[in-house]
Amino acid sequence: MILGLETSCDETAAAVVTDDGRVLSSVVASQAELHADYGGVVPELASRRHLELVAPVVREALRAAGCELAAIERVAVTQGPGLVGALLVGLSAAKAIAWARRLPLVPVDHLQGHVASLYLGEAPVEPPFVCLLASGGHTLLLAVRARGASERLGTTLDDAAGEAFDKGARLLGLDYPGGAALDALARAGDPGAYRFPVARVPGLDFSFSGLKTSLLYKVRELAPEEIASRRSDLAASYQHAIVRALVQRLRQAAEQAGLERIAVVGGVAANSELRAALPEAAFAPFAYCTDNAAMIASAARYAPALAYPSYLGLDAYASAA
Ligand code: KG4
Ligand code: ZN
């Protein structure tokens, strides 16, 4: 049995997962409300909240799984990328738990964690496949040839896809993080009402920063009454532009890598238009799209474990290598 911990951003999460990928518990305490007033995650506030929540969340994960700490055989934890102060809380807690019971510790890359969310649930996805990882912090195209082994095909040159959703949502007056609210608002709108261009960059990379600027200009250009009456059209058109760019690049990547199967993970994988636009794709189970610790424990099944006590000096890292 693996105990997983995740504290890379604004979710404090712990989970118990078996070696064959059954999720016995997955507890996620979101801090979204804490940061909503600031329109984004405030790193220092996030670290402090993680510190308050990490022990109760681990306790709750063990209780919900119906297992004692004594039954845990490995501890898995997100080492990076993320907010360093936030990561250090989870990493220190994981070290302490592992050290106290002389267990091995598995440091997990957060991005590999998102990919490993595909190996949980009723219908796990088997490599090889091309994977789109689209979250608040990352937009990546990966060729996954085996569980635990992936190669980067493309990434964003500026904003992440989730960030584009969040910034657009903010311009439309929705609270942070606005991705899911924009998705809901867009359902009542016409995706063809406005044209928002997505920059075409060479290769398999993305660029979303211009898109947010064009929404900003559009919002400035419209009269307040028109914005109010056309909010859902604006949301639908804006969302459509992001989804179109993601789908285009993903299909192109699959072709170039010679991989038939495609998969989507990360918070943006929860988007309803993206799901509808890719009927052939495998999506991470809904509950494991946004940050959680079950995916971290899942990834630990395919990553090397460090023996007690060699992990005590382990450090967190902020950005992807
Ligand atoms: O994976 P995640 O929890 O965090 C990171 O690792 O960054 O992703 C969070 C992101 C946020 O930007 C949020 O707005 C977006 O995922 N998101 C969505 C939806 N649900 C969450 N974006 C579009 N449509 C959704 N339904
Ligand atoms: Zn994430």
Side-chain angles (χ1 to χ4, degrees):
M1 261 188 310
I2 307 165
L3 172 68
L5 273 82
E6 150 67 39
T7 63
S8 68
C9 190
D10 62 344
E11 267 94 25
T12 316
V16 179
V17 174
T18 64
D19 242 326
D20 55 3
R22 273 178 305 127
V23 181
L24 301 185
S25 69
S26 175
V27 178
V28 181
S30 171
Q31 310 179 358
E33 258 175 55
L34 177 70
H35 303 283
D37 284 348
Y38 306 93
V41 178
V42 183
E44 185 57 25
L45 289 182
S47 310
R48 285 165 193 244
R49 184 56 65 89
H50 283 308
L51 209 50
E52 289 166 12
L53 288 175
V54 69
V57 164
V58 166
R59 220 173 276 131
E60 176 58 19
L62 290 169
R63 193 205 58 76
C67 92
E68 306 270 323
L69 192 51
I72 298 296
E73 292 148 305
R74 264 178 297 168
V75 180
V77 63
T78 308
Q79 188 185 9
L83 303 168
V84 166
L87 287 161
L88 282 175
V89 177
L91 188 58
S92 308
K95 282 181 191 173
I97 293 167
W99 177 78
R101 306 210 56 87
R102 303 187 169 230
L103 297 174
L105 182 117
V106 190
V108 172
D109 183 275
H110 184 79
L111 308 177
Q112 292 307 318
H114 274 296
V115 176
S117 65
L118 293 164
Y119 312 139
L120 295 170
E122 301 285 290
V125 186
E126 278 313 317
F129 55 83
V130 162
C131 184
L132 167 67
L133 190 178
S135 71
H138 308 276
T139 309
L140 286 176
L141 283 166
L142 303 164
V144 182
R145 311 258 176 206
R147 288 190 176 194
S150 66
E151 165 203 337
R152 183 175 300 191
L153 303 172
T155 187
T156 180
L157 302 178
D158 39 59
D159 291 352
E163 201 177 350
F165 269 103
D166 294 341
K167 287 178 173 170
R170 196 175 183 191
L171 288 170
L172 295 173
L174 302 166
D175 278 346
Y176 173 85
L182 193 144
D183 184 357
L185 182 62
R187 265 172 231 169
D190 171 10
Y194 299 96
R195 269 204 72 76
F196 292 116
V198 174
R200 278 178 180 271
V201 290
L204 290 170
D205 291 332
F206 300 90
S207 167
F208 290 111
S209 67
L211 180 65
K212 147 204 86 190
T213 312
S214 60
L215 177 63
L216 174 69
Y217 288 159
K218 181 57 77 187
V219 166
R220 277 195 192 151
E221 179 189 311
L222 297 176
E225 315 80 66
E226 196 175 0
I227 297 174
S229 66
R230 309 277 314 262
R231 262 171 91 237
S232 54
D233 285 343
L234 286 164
S237 304
Y238 184 78
Q239 170 172 284
H240 189 61
I242 300 175
V243 168
R244 203 175 43 213
L246 293 174
V247 169
Q248 230 172 41
R249 277 283 189 261
L250 179 51
R251 293 227 170 98
Q252 202 182 337
E255 206 178 296
Q256 280 187 25
L259 296 170
E260 260 171 46
R261 218 167 324 186
I262 59 177
V264 188
V265 301
V268 178
N271 185 264
S272 59
E273 186 179 341
L274 185 62
R275 285 180 174 250
L278 289 168
E280 76 276 33
F283 281 80
F286 208 76
Y288 309 129
C289 284
T290 48
D291 287 350
N292 65 87
M295 70 184 195
I296 301 303
S298 177
R301 298 181 291 151
Y302 313 103
L306 304 177
Y308 164 89
S310 65
Y311 43 77
L312 289 176
L314 213 60
D315 217 343
Y317 55 87
S319 18

